[in-house]
Amino acid sequence: MCVIEQPGTIVTIPAIVNVDEITDEAPEVKTFYMSFVDPSVGARFTLRSGQFIMCTVFGAGEFAVSLPPSPEHDRFHITVRRVGKVTNALHALRPGDKLGVRGPFGNGFPFADIKGKNIVYVAGGIGLIPLRSSIVHVLQHREDFGRIILLYGARSFADLLYRQNITQWRKTPGFETFITLDRAEPNWDGEVGFVNTLIEKAGVPVDNTVAFVCGPPVMFNSVIGDLLKRGMSEDAIVSTLERQMKCGIGKCQHCAIGRTLVCTDGPVYTYRQIKTLGEVI
Ligand SMILES: Cc1cc2nc3c(=O)[nH]c(=O)nc-3n(C[C@H](O)[C@H](O)[C@H](O)COP(=O)(O)OP(=O)(O)OC[C@H]3O[C@@H](n4cnc5c(N)ncnc54)[C@H](O)[C@@H]3O)c2cc1C
């Protein structure tokens, strides 16, 4: 079989992983904890926050999925919302079943450039999945950054992902968390409204600050608009593009937007780059 190497890519043909544990994260969303059947592959599998893998559900197909674990000291896992054929088959798996994994692929978040800066994470719904890796990594290196702020919006309390993680993260000194639900609920005494309303409430800084924004298109436009109005530079706003991917290694062109291939050049882009692509998220 032809193995195409891409710098930083550890596994180029599907490596077999065992599904060790499955947890319900939110309605239609599950987290799958996995381990490589060949431990030597697992030992070499290193990732950068913001990268993704191609995951094979045998008999159903392959799909792209973000890597939520921190690059350091974290269990290997993915968090997936079921939307169609392959993700439905994934949700039907049980502990002990096997999956295939290729990757990691993509550029990842720009960590070298953000040391010493304030970091604002803005997540809508399952947009928290690709940000989780970066949040854990930054909190593990708290002293290297200024303010660290998470603005997170979900449709309902039940839709909030990683609730136990968030409770833990809140114990890190100086980690500021603002959470909002789209609608009021009987047992919720927190913020109500869309996530962009938190930008003002949190007093988001703009100087020496980078914002990582992930969520559905409707959220993206309002959040970006409010960050720009506040004076944030287009280069300081970073997001991930999601496109249908097949190969993950820049060969099949499924994820091409103009001259960029989201699987290899992305999925992380600055807002200025996204605008240049003429892309509507
Ligand atoms: C880089 C990257 C990272 C991703 N990370 C995650 C993740 O961490 N968790 C997660 O739950 N999902 C993630 N996705 C989306 C996931 O790949 C799709 O939901 C999955 O491929 C759907 O496969 P399916 O066969 O179940 O559904 P399909 O039958 O293929 O699709 C069901 C519906 O979803 C739409 N759809 C499928 N894929 C995409 C896409 N990439 N962009 C927009 N719409 C799409 C289809 O048009 C269709 O309407 C990611 C996608 C990319 C490209």
Side-chain angles (χ1 to χ4, degrees), residues 29 50-53 60 62-68 78-89 126 129-130 162 240-246 262 267:
V29 183
Q51 288 189 298
F52 66 95
I53 53 173
E62 195 182 38
F63 71 107
V65 62
S66 306
L67 286 165
I78 54 175
T79 300
V80 180
R81 176 157 69 187
R82 62 181 187 150
V83 294
K85 181 183 167 211
V86 184
T87 49
N88 267 300
I126 65 166
I129 300 171
Y162 304 133
T240 59
L241 289 183
E242 258 198 29
R243 286 298 171 275
Q244 293 277 14
M245 286 179 190
K246 294 289 178 199
V262 178

Side-chain angles (χ1 to χ4, degrees), residues 81 122-128 153 195 213-223 281:
R81 176 157 69 187
V122 190
I126 65 166
L128 189 60
V195 70
V213 181
C214 286
V218 61
M219 175 212 108
F220 188 83
N221 294 331
S222 59
V223 167
I281 294 195

